[in-house]
Amino acid sequence: MLDIANILKEESLSREDLIALLSVKRKEDRDLVFQKAASVRCNNVGNEIYLRGLIEYSNICEKNCFYCGIRAGNKQVERYCLDEDDVICSARHAFENDYGSIVIQSGERTDQDFINKIDSLVRKIKIISEHKLGITLSCGDQSKETYHRWFESGAHRYLLRFETSDPDLYYKIHPNNKKHFLLNRLTSLQYLKETGYQVGSGMMIGLPGQNIENLIDDLLMLKVLNVDMVGMGPYIEHKDTPLFKEKSQLLTKNERLGLSLLTIAVLRILIPDINIAAATALDSLSDDGRLQAIRAGANVLMPNITPLKYRENYFLYENKPYLTEADALIRKINESGSLNGYHIKLGEWGDSKHFAKRVKGFGLD
Ligand code: SAH
Ligand code: SF4
């Protein structure tokens, strides 16, 4: 039998080691992996948990990803786009409550009006926060010029998941057309890096047809891409999407939660100095899914600060916890942190330590 304790002592992990770590079943072994990940986090990025207030700007999307509840083809969705005052008011809340950073996330649009609006929002948020709020964008595939423009206006981090690194699985969960090409995503990630952003990517965990080997490839892809941040979380089915018909192939919710937490811990061990977000989707599987992710090695929390009346329409997947109040979530994490040795750090951007090293030339590229 493989000795997990011995694997965890190794300086660098082979593919076989990663497979063994992601396959652990016994509680004692899982605990060993989580403890190791917590100590790796402490030694490499400290015990601070950074906040990004999440603003879900719009559920209007040009794309048709087969898994996503706000895909263009879903006619059941009431579409919205926040007006400027709503966004500024949410950003002001984040600023006044010392969050340090916000994320503007949106369904993907590439028209000029959208590009201008995001640009103007970024500029205004910088002004109202005296340039103190950090801004991460998560607005999908855009042109190099658009990434550049938003960066010049003050956004400095960008999240764009590759969703899965396996081309067959990718085209099982996306239409195989120009708008959705995997290569576009990978090219976008390169453009983002060249522009100067701190770059985040990631995948969904527990997709129908996905196996442990696929997940190991995803983890290695994150390493090869030399990302600064990772947002990855469980796939959660949504009844008004094409992928819903594969529901019978899915792991149980408990198994998906367990696998997601383990994947976070293994990623922390594999790439010690990146920022790892506790994905909101974890809370769809368990009330304290995000809290468990932080115990497993994540160091970024994204409380939802979208105005309440819009949240139920940003319904990417079922059971999305849209009513969770940001302050209550922060309190919960702080209470657990006092027992487990981590704490929320207010008022700081909490930039990726990996990025700092990468731009000084110590990274892989
Ligand atoms: N449109 C942008 C940002 C919004 S979607 C983009 O696609 O990048 C943000 C993330 O939500 C996606 O990257 C995807 O991984 C996740 N998501 C969408 N549908 C999901 C589902 N059914 N289960 C879990 N995550 C999902
Ligand atoms: Fe649109 Fe993003 Fe959903 Fe794909 S995952 S349909 S790009 S919002």
Side-chain angles (χ1 to χ4, degrees):
M1 201 170 68
L2 281 162
D3 185 349
I4 297 300
N6 275 337
I7 293 178
L8 290 171
K9 282 188 203 139
E10 285 170 21
E11 281 281 307
S12 68
L13 297 170
S14 66
R15 189 180 175 85
E16 285 64 38
D17 294 335
L18 291 170
I19 293 174
L21 293 180
L22 259 198
S23 308
V24 295
K25 293 280 178 290
R26 296 188 325 164
K27 181 169 181 317
E28 308 87 279
D29 287 337
R30 288 176 63 84
D31 287 347
L32 283 179
V33 179
F34 293 140
Q35 280 159 18
K36 172 76 178 186
S39 94
V40 170
R41 180 184 62 205
C42 175
N43 293 334
N44 290 276
V45 295
N47 275 331
E48 289 78 28
I49 309 299
Y50 296 100
L51 298 179
R52 283 86 174 93
L54 174 64
I55 303 175
E56 294 165 335
Y57 174 61
S58 171
N59 66 358
I60 303 171
C61 189
E62 292 172 357
K63 281 199 170 158
N64 255 318
C65 308
F66 293 152
Y67 44 85
C68 177
I70 64 169
R71 63 197 297 274
N74 183 4
K75 302 296 174 218
Q76 313 294 322
V77 180
E78 193 181 320
R79 304 286 167 174
Y80 74 86
C81 181
L82 297 186
D83 61 30
E84 188 179 291
D85 286 351
D86 280 325
V87 178
I88 298 296
C89 182
S90 298
R92 207 182 285 283
H93 174 87
F95 179 52
E96 286 167 359
N97 288 279
D98 249 354
Y99 279 28
S101 289
I102 57 157
V103 180
I104 301 179
Q105 196 184 73
S106 181
E108 190 175 310
R109 275 173 57 190
T110 48
D111 55 279
Q112 207 52 47
D113 184 46
F114 179 79
I115 294 168
N116 293 343
K117 277 191 175 136
I118 296 290
D119 190 61
S120 151
L121 286 170
V122 169
R123 284 173 191 275
K124 288 191 174 142
I125 291 167
K126 280 288 171 193
I127 293 168
I128 62 119
S129 70
E130 300 152 24
H131 288 259
K132 289 194 179 119
L133 267 184
I135 303 180
T136 306
L137 295 177
S138 173
C139 300
D141 285 315
Q142 303 288 341
S143 68
K144 196 173 184 172
E145 293 68 36
T146 301
Y147 291 139
H148 186 76
R149 188 167 159 204
W150 291 344
F151 184 77
E152 289 292 301
S153 299
H156 78 300
R157 297 187 284 235
Y158 204 101
L159 291 172
L160 187 71
R161 291 181 178 178
F162 52 75
E163 314 295 359
T164 171
S165 60
D166 181 272
D168 291 337
L169 186 55
Y170 189 89
Y171 290 111
K172 185 176 163 186
I173 66 169
H174 296 97
N176 191 343
N177 62 33
K178 208 170 163 203
K179 218 178 205 1
H180 294 83
F181 282 168
L182 174 57
L183 199 57
N184 294 353
R185 289 255 136 167
L186 301 177
T187 310
S188 283
L189 288 167
Q190 191 54 36
Y191 286 160
L192 288 162
K193 240 187 201 178
E194 286 167 15
T195 309
Y197 285 96
Q198 292 176 46
V199 178
S201 195
M203 66 282 194
M204 282 180 284
I205 299 161
L207 286 162
Q210 187 184 48
N211 56 33
I212 293 290
E213 296 271 343
N214 296 140
L215 282 174
I216 301 296
D217 288 341
D218 293 342
L219 290 174
L220 294 171
M221 177 74 131
L222 290 166
K223 180 115 181 149
V224 170
L225 287 172
N226 202 9
V227 295
D228 308 304
M229 329 178 281
V230 171
M232 59 185 188
Y235 161 68
I236 316 278
E237 59 275 29
H238 185 303
K239 67 176 174 36
D240 299 322
T241 61
L243 209 57
F244 192 70
K245 64 176 187 318
E246 312 279 344
K247 191 173 187 285
S248 61
Q249 284 189 45
L250 296 176
L251 297 174
T252 65
K253 292 203 164 170
N254 230 354
E255 288 167 339
R256 256 179 284 164
L257 175 66
L259 183 59
S260 302
L261 296 171
L262 211 46
T263 311
I264 289 174
V266 174
L267 174 67
R268 173 59 72 201
I269 298 166
L270 182 68
I271 323 182
D273 57 357
I274 53 173
N275 280 349
I276 305 179
T280 312
L282 290 160
D283 276 15
S284 305
L285 300 176
S286 157
D287 284 348
D288 62 357
R290 279 184 281 185
L291 191 151
Q292 292 191 54
I294 286 176
R295 286 201 202 128
N299 68 330
V300 168
L301 184 69
M302 295 165 45
N304 195 339
I305 55 167
T306 311
L308 206 53
K309 67 177 174 196
Y310 296 105
R311 286 193 206 169
E312 62 180 319
N313 290 321
Y314 199 83
F315 204 52
L316 302 177
Y317 43 81
E318 286 178 3
N319 204 20
K320 187 163 172 276
Y322 65 91
L323 285 175
T324 310
E325 205 226 319
D327 297 341
L329 176 67
I330 293 168
R331 262 198 312 278
K332 183 161 117 178
I333 300 294
N334 263 335
E335 277 161 21
S336 140
S338 62
L339 300 174
N340 294 287
Y342 51 81
H343 60 274
I344 289 178
K345 182 83 180 164
L346 291 174
E348 285 192 19
W349 286 7
D351 278 343
S352 162
K353 301 248 185 318
H354 188 87
F355 176 75
K357 290 187 205 156
R358 179 162 73 77
V359 293
K360 279 195 200 131
F362 296 117
L364 288 175
D365 60 1

